Amino acid sequence: MRCVLIGMPGAGKGTQARFLSEKYGIAHISTGDILRSAMESGTELGLRAKEFIEAGALVPDDLVIELVNDRISLSDCRHGFVIDGFPRTPAQADALRSARIRLDYVVEIDVPERVLMQRMSGRRVHPASGRVYHVKFNPPRVAGKDDITGEDLVQRPDDREDIVRKRIGAYYTQTVPIISYYIEWERSRDPYAPRFVKVFGGGSVQQVWDRLFNLLGKLTAIV
């Protein structure tokens, strides 16, 4: 299975991508993780990406495309992959297509904006592992501490309310158009076009996973 998960910031793409990775034994590619790693490494690319992320803006296409292409070329992607956080613009979607990176499914996780604001303001992360918690919906056993290591959890700079609003605005203007891009590509009857599907992302993490797993199970059965 080769698929992409798209949706607003906080829609649950990363969590559901990890579930898909474990269930189907495929690589999980998170552009967020790739970019954070680049920022922590202090490379030129990482420093450039940091400026955009901390300002609540999307990282330019050329920077992200280079990282994603390199990641997909690794051996653990040979049997499939799930990408979350990419593509975010029609230009990025077109770049994937031009690079002949085959996709089976593009899945939109659809969540109301008010729910996203609540989700993201309460999100906390364990920096070393990427494990994600929420002060209300998925709290750690000990407040402010990672369940496994006991280390401190942090709030990402891009999860602050003012930055979240900017990110949602960027999603509407830059990412929503790729929905039309994939719908139109599928309607063209191109045999290489991925299926575009939508899953409601409200409710608990388990409820969203059940909807997603059931949907993909039906689609793969048809194939």
Side-chain angles (χ1 to χ4, degrees):
M1 179 182 293
R2 296 155 297 191
C3 68
V4 163
L5 301 184
I6 63 175
M8 286 190 188
K13 301 182 293 297
T15 298
Q16 299 303 326
R18 284 191 290 274
F19 287 165
L20 286 173
S21 174
E22 294 170 2
K23 180 65 179 180
Y24 291 98
I26 57 179
H28 172 204
I29 301 175
S30 166
T31 53
D33 289 345
I34 293 173
L35 289 168
R36 278 187 286 276
S37 177
M39 289 190 293
E40 290 170 2
S41 70
T43 63
E44 179 183 355
L45 174 61
L47 294 175
R48 290 171 60 194
K50 184 176 182 179
E51 293 179 3
F52 290 96
I53 290 175
E54 292 189 345
L58 295 179
V59 177
D61 293 349
D62 59 337
L63 301 184
V64 182
I65 289 168
E66 180 179 353
L67 288 169
V68 172
N69 280 339
D70 287 347
R71 180 65 184 86
I72 290 176
S73 69
L74 299 181
S75 60
D76 65 337
C77 293
R78 185 177 303 133
H79 301 295
F81 54 82
V82 53
I83 307 176
D84 77 87
F86 183 90
R88 291 185 174 181
T89 67
Q92 291 178 351
D94 210 38
L96 277 183
R97 185 174 177 179
S98 298
R100 299 183 182 276
I101 296 173
R102 184 77 181 269
L103 297 176
D104 299 311
Y105 308 108
V106 174
V107 183
E108 179 192 5
I109 300 179
D110 184 30
V111 186
E113 183 176 330
R114 60 177 177 76
V115 175
L116 293 176
M117 292 299 301
Q118 185 180 35
R119 280 186 184 177
M120 297 185 72
S121 63
R123 186 160 64 178
R124 300 294 183 270
V125 179
H126 178 236
S129 68
R131 283 185 288 273
V132 179
Y133 301 85
H134 192 282
V135 295
K136 179 178 179 181
F137 303 118
N138 181 35
R141 289 192 289 267
V142 177
K145 302 292 183 180
D146 177 57
D147 285 350
I148 297 177
T149 66
E151 295 172 339
D152 289 342
L153 302 177
V154 302
Q155 183 181 43
R156 296 174 185 161
D158 51 336
D159 280 346
R160 297 200 319 264
E161 184 173 344
D162 58 329
I163 298 299
V164 171
R165 292 190 183 281
K166 289 183 179 180
R167 294 175 66 196
I168 289 176
Y171 177 82
Y172 279 124
T173 58
Q174 300 184 47
T175 304
V176 166
I178 71 173
I179 295 174
S180 297
Y181 177 96
Y182 282 115
I183 290 175
E184 292 172 6
W185 187 10
E186 182 179 359
R187 288 175 178 171
S188 73
R189 298 182 183 274
D190 180 345
Y192 293 100
R195 284 285 305 273
F196 176 82
V197 293
K198 180 183 292 190
V199 171
F200 176 59
S204 69
V205 169
Q206 184 61 49
Q207 288 173 327
V208 178
W209 166 242
D210 289 342
R211 295 184 200 116
L212 177 59
F213 177 63
N214 290 336
L215 174 61
L216 291 177
K218 291 177 182 178
L219 291 175
T220 53
I222 292 173
V223 173

